[in-house]
Amino acid sequence: MTAQRRPNIVMILTDDHGSQAIGAYGSVLNATPRIDEIAASGWRFDHCFATNALCSPSRASILTGTYSHVNGVSTLVTPIDASQPTFVSQLKSAGYRTAMVGKWHMGEHEGSTPEGFDYWDILIGHDGQGEYWDPLFLSADGERIVEGYATDRITDLAFDWLDSLEGDDPWCVLIYHKAPHRPWEPKPEDASRFRDRVPVPSTFWDDYDTRSSSTRRALMRLADNLNEEDLKVAPPEGLSYEELALWKYQRFMEDYLACVASVDDNVGRVIDRLRERGEFDDTLLMYASDQGFFLGEHGWFDKRFMYEESLRMPLVLSCPRALEGGRVFEGIVTNVDFAQTILDAAGVAPHDRMQGRSFWPDLLGSPESPAAEGMYYRYWEHDDTFHHAPAHYGYRTHRYKLIYYYNDGLGLPGTGPFTYPPEWELYDLERDPEEMRNVAHDPAYAEVRAELERAMWLEQGRLGDTPHPSQPRPAGVPAAASGTAAASGTAALHSA
């Protein structure tokens, strides 16, 4: 890439696409040759994590480069203040043409619809999720139904905008899909592609023996909580509980993987169009999901928890003129880092409010700051009506993961009214990569837990988040090191 030519930017974001269903990550479930093509042309990130594994909050963090307590989008029903600075508004101010097409899911009314975009066209309805078929779109011109399958039509609309551009100024387009989000409605031609038996995860029959009671309250078990809309056909009669659980798993995966297949096809359409335009080498092309997803691990579907399948985001990116291909990034990155990394690649200064760390210099082989030693996570939507997942936060390093279930919705929209006693979990990811043995109360891990509690408390202070009142201050940490920001997001940033 020459110094005169700034890269075009394409971010393809899906919803609930677990990395275990991507070929480049070693999937035994399916093939994703076009997503894999991005990884082959660039980088695969093996430790990319969501800081709040929920659709709307993750999207807000990606866009603003801030944590949920700062951008104000902490649950599914806390709309974004779209006037706040984003990487897109920074790009637009620097001369980029900007567009957003597809799933927004951060509000559908004045003040929460996209700002900083030259063109936007977002899915609405179905609680902000949009529909798979004949979806309803909202743009600056109003509402309309766009006939067809959403995954295809979102790509079509992005192409229409791209084809309308004139001149040589660089551009950025966000192509945000609904798929493969629940209720998993594939195209007919894809629906029969995964009817052979899908492997069952080794942790499918997890008995939660050492886990907290907080995790046991969640209504996310495939065997119990998939409904008729999810399954679409009635199960055979006469099945035992175990047989029914396996039948539901296969039925769910059949549709889920078929939706992923359509996504992969559309990723290929984007790659092919960039090549046809002669712009593939000069485009920063990113594919990610807004969080991970449980695909039967621990008997679950959905996300929300800080366990690996939910926490881990797939991320592959390429920009062949600037970056070598076929590389793997082992460092810890989060969705909060995306904004500053994109701006860094474009040669545009980040807004002072942004909290992330650009990993672009790392990809160029010249890191400008130390790599992250760990990452901070916080799930706010406590005890919601449908899933009843507990409010919790935690800290993950390369080897360990500490989780504190504070079990309090703090009165936030979308949370339940009940509180429960706080609980701790700790996992040694080197010895227990499947997170089956909670060692929070194992004397052999007492020193490790104490160190992680201190690290988490200090990170909360650095980020301006407020620990829950039930969390004891770790020994040896002064009170001034605790977080001071209210949940409304008036944090003093970059103070550390």
Side-chain angles (χ1 to χ4, degrees), residues 52 54 74-77 213-215 217-218 304-305 378-393 404-423 468:
N52 182 351
L54 203 56
S74 53
T75 73
L76 292 178
V77 290
S213 62
S214 301
T215 61
R217 286 193 300 272
R304 300 168 189 267
F305 281 111
R378 185 163 187 171
Y379 173 77
W380 299 78
E381 194 173 274
H382 172 70
D383 203 34
D384 75 292
T385 302
F386 297 104
H387 302 87
H388 293 280
H392 58 286
Y393 47 67
Y404 182 65
Y405 297 97
Y406 61 93
N407 284 312
D408 184 354
L410 302 171
L412 288 170
T415 63
F418 301 114
T419 60
Y420 303 92
E423 297 179 285
H468 190 266

Side-chain angles (χ1 to χ4, degrees), residues 218-258:
L219 301 182
M220 292 165 40
R221 289 190 71 100
L222 282 159
D224 303 319
N225 303 120
L226 288 181
N227 59 43
E228 290 185 357
E229 183 185 17
D230 301 324
L231 300 171
K232 304 174 187 68
V233 295
E237 294 184 5
L239 299 180
S240 68
Y241 180 82
E242 290 76 14
E243 291 169 336
L244 180 61
L246 293 171
W247 182 89
K248 287 184 176 181
Y249 170 74
Q250 297 295 330
R251 178 80 276 279
F252 152 61
M253 290 300 292
E254 182 179 326
D255 283 349
Y256 178 91
L257 295 175

